[in-house]
Amino acid sequence: MLLSFLAQIAGSEGRLCLSDEEYETLEGRHFFRDAWRRRLISIDEGGEWSTGAVISLTREGRILIGEPAPESLWRRLEVMLRRIGGADS
């Protein structure tokens, strides 16, 4: 169950946005608590202006399921600038 949960997060671009009800349901599940204790996921709970939670796959979680790390913002900008520069030539 843990691995399929991590794969589901990876399939959602590394993040799941959950409602309060969904989050409360997952909090009661052993595999969810295990993933959090093992630092395979991070949890950003809603605050004063929002409810629910965003569950993100950590580097350790990606390594466990063999998912490559997402490309950094700087790398994407570099590629974009090269394309723009190459289009002008």
Side-chain angles (χ1 to χ4, degrees):
M1 193 74 179
L2 174 62
L3 293 178
S4 60
F5 175 63
L6 296 177
Q8 180 182 2
I9 298 172
S12 299
E13 297 183 10
R15 290 180 194 82
L16 285 180
C17 295
L18 304 175
S19 68
D20 272 342
E21 294 168 357
E22 293 168 324
Y23 180 54
E24 287 175 12
T25 299
L26 277 177
E27 276 186 311
R29 303 277 176 99
H30 178 71
F31 70 88
F32 183 79
R33 292 188 313 266
D34 187 42
W36 181 75
R37 273 194 301 268
R38 293 172 59 190
R39 297 184 181 176
L40 303 175
I41 59 172
S42 64
I43 303 168
D44 183 13
E45 296 181 43
E48 182 179 345
W49 301 103
S50 63
T51 60
V54 176
I55 311 302
S56 302
L57 196 57
T58 63
R59 180 177 182 271
E60 292 82 1
R62 287 186 185 285
I63 290 170
L64 181 68
I65 62 172
E67 182 74 18
E71 198 171 40
S72 76
L73 173 64
W74 298 114
R75 176 68 181 136
R76 287 184 284 180
L77 283 172
E78 180 184 5
V79 169
M80 183 181 74
L81 291 173
R82 282 186 185 165
R83 286 182 187 153
I84 291 170
D88 293 337
S89 309

